[in-house]
Amino acid sequence: DSGVTQTPKHLITATGQRVTLRCSPRSGDLSVYWYQQSLDQGLQFLIQYYNGEERAKGNILERFSAQQFPDLHSELNLSSLELGDSALYFCASTPGEGVPYNEQFFGPGTRLTVL
Amino acid sequence: AQKVTQAQTEISVVEKEDVTLDCVYETRDTTYYLFWYKQPPSGELVFLIRRNSFDEQNEISGRYSWNFQKSTSSFNFTITASQVVDSAVYFCALIYKTGANNLFFGTGTRLTVIP
């Protein structure tokens, strides 16, 4: 158990809908990272937050957004869903802002299926 | 540009055989960090190892060993006396110092250990 929690574990929805994925980092970790794993794109970085502020952006679509709350949990919002958004979404956390000095520990993921 | 290549898409071995998973990386940075993660059938990503670019010392952890060679830009992973529980997808990943603090993942190698 990495200590990172994600809810829900599975999510099934329809095209055009909006969903919210939730992540709670390990106790004491200030950075949260979101990754998407799909058959087409593999594992790719979406966005990073550190202590409530956005720190880095990857290949995140404009239809997607995220935020980190004062209690450090993070939410990834996906809107106007398309079939291609079906994927496994991972959250990871580290104590500090600089990943190289800390391993990224991953949550169990949320599997999103868009029908 | 940063890139991680795992040329072996799938490997099958018989239990107790040794197996080496290849990873070749590209980066212009002189400071970078290399990682291996394991993704078992249950889906979570499990951290295995981190190696800094200035430390070429090979590492052994039980049946696992890693060979880091800057001259060939490779960071290969060997499992000795493989077991069925080693069956998983293994990802090699890279973080470069001057970039964002996110992991660049290879496409993964699916290892199947046959009893």
Side-chain angles (χ1 to χ4, degrees):
Chain A
D1 185 353
S2 67
V4 179
T5 61
Q6 290 186 249
T7 57
K9 193 167 184 177
H10 300 279
L11 199 47
I12 301 174
T13 189
T15 54
Q17 295 299 304
R18 172 190 170 95
V19 297
T20 297
L21 313 184
R22 181 187 170 107
C23 167
S24 293
R26 294 187 313 161
S27 176
D29 284 1
L30 298 177
S31 271
V32 170
Y33 308 77
W34 286 97
Y35 290 83
Q36 179 196 58
Q37 184 178 26
S38 66
L39 289 175
D40 291 342
Q41 302 292 330
L43 259 168
Q44 60 175 357
F45 168 69
L46 296 179
I47 197 165
Q48 176 202 1
Y49 276 82
Y50 173 73
N51 205 20
E53 294 188 5
E54 182 184 304
R55 272 294 182 262
K57 255 184 176 179
N59 298 323
I60 188 167
L61 300 171
E62 286 192 8
R63 300 183 286 108
F64 296 1
S65 64
Q67 55 184 331
Q68 186 179 27
F69 294 86
D71 67 352
L72 300 176
H73 90 271
S74 178
E75 293 181 358
L76 179 66
N77 301 297
L78 316 176
S79 62
S80 302
L81 285 168
E82 302 175 359
L83 295 178
D85 297 328
S86 296
L88 189 53
Y89 291 85
F90 285 106
C91 166
S93 72
T94 59
E97 185 178 0
V99 169
Y101 307 103
N102 300 281
E103 295 82 11
Q104 281 190 2
F105 291 94
F106 283 78
T110 292
R111 183 168 296 281
L112 173 66
T113 303
V114 182
L115 302 175
Chain B
Q2 275 56 236
K3 190 176 179 182
V4 176
T5 302
Q6 295 181 257
Q8 304 152 308
T9 306
E10 295 190 28
I11 299 177
S12 291
V13 298
V14 176
E15 199 171 20
K16 296 184 183 176
E17 285 184 348
D18 299 347
V19 58
T20 295
L21 310 183
D22 298 333
C23 173
V24 174
Y25 62 91
E26 291 179 32
T27 178
R28 291 179 183 172
D29 280 36
T30 56
T31 301
Y32 50 89
Y33 305 82
L34 296 164
F35 300 75
W36 276 95
Y37 280 84
K38 173 183 180 180
Q39 187 175 38
S42 51
E44 73 271 24
L45 282 167
V46 179
F47 167 80
L48 295 178
I49 190 171
R50 178 192 66 202
R51 177 61 69 205
N52 306 323
S53 58
F54 41 85
D55 180 6
E56 285 194 73
Q57 189 172 10
N58 293 328
E59 183 156 339
I60 298 175
S61 176
R63 296 184 298 107
Y64 295 172
S65 63
W66 291 268
N67 181 264
F68 176 31
Q69 291 195 335
K70 290 178 72 171
S71 60
T72 56
S73 298
S74 65
F75 186 43
N76 296 337
F77 173 32
T78 296
I79 301 175
T80 303
S82 59
Q83 300 176 2
V84 173
V85 293
D86 296 327
S87 295
V89 180
Y90 291 87
F91 291 95
C92 181
L94 165 74
I95 293 175
Y96 58 104
K97 185 80 171 5
T98 57
N101 294 323
N102 58 283
L103 291 157
F104 283 90
F105 283 93
T107 51
T109 297
R110 180 178 298 278
L111 174 66
T112 302
V113 180
I114 303 166

